[in-house]
Amino acid sequence: MGLCGWIIFGFLAGLIARAIMPGRQGLGLIATTLLGIAGSFMGGFIASVLRGGNWRLLQPSGFIGAVVGAIVLLAIGRMMSNRR
């Protein structure tokens, strides 16, 4: 997938994850895009752990995995911000 594809993919996945996750996130356009892209890699990591196969840390996942990974990252970010 090219760079423009990753940007669009990341934005859409991050936008859907923010819509599903309750509460106010306060992320802008770029942060939402980066959230979706990071969510794709988090989803790939979660999938490799659940499968029990070889653990490839930087394995991207599909759209559903990206949304799930972005939700997990939002939840981790919320827990970290509540800690302060």
Side-chain angles (χ1 to χ4, degrees), residues 7-58:
I7 291 171
I8 293 169
F9 177 83
F11 177 69
L12 292 175
L15 197 64
I16 290 174
R18 286 183 56 201
I20 292 172
M21 188 76 172
R24 182 165 164 25
Q25 289 87 28
L27 299 174
L29 178 73
I30 295 173
T32 300
T33 303
L34 293 175
L35 172 70
I37 292 170
S40 176
F41 289 102
M42 175 63 84
F45 177 72
I46 291 170
S48 67
V49 168
L50 291 177
R51 271 185 280 168
N54 62 358
W55 287 28
R56 289 183 14 187
L57 184 62
L58 294 177

Side-chain angles (χ1 to χ4, degrees), residues 68-79:
V68 169
I71 290 172
V72 168
L73 289 174
L74 281 173
I76 291 171
R78 181 170 291 163
M79 287 188 313

Side-chain angles (χ1 to χ4, degrees), residues 1-9:
M1 189 183 313
L3 181 62
C4 289
W6 271 106
I7 291 171
I8 293 169
F9 177 83

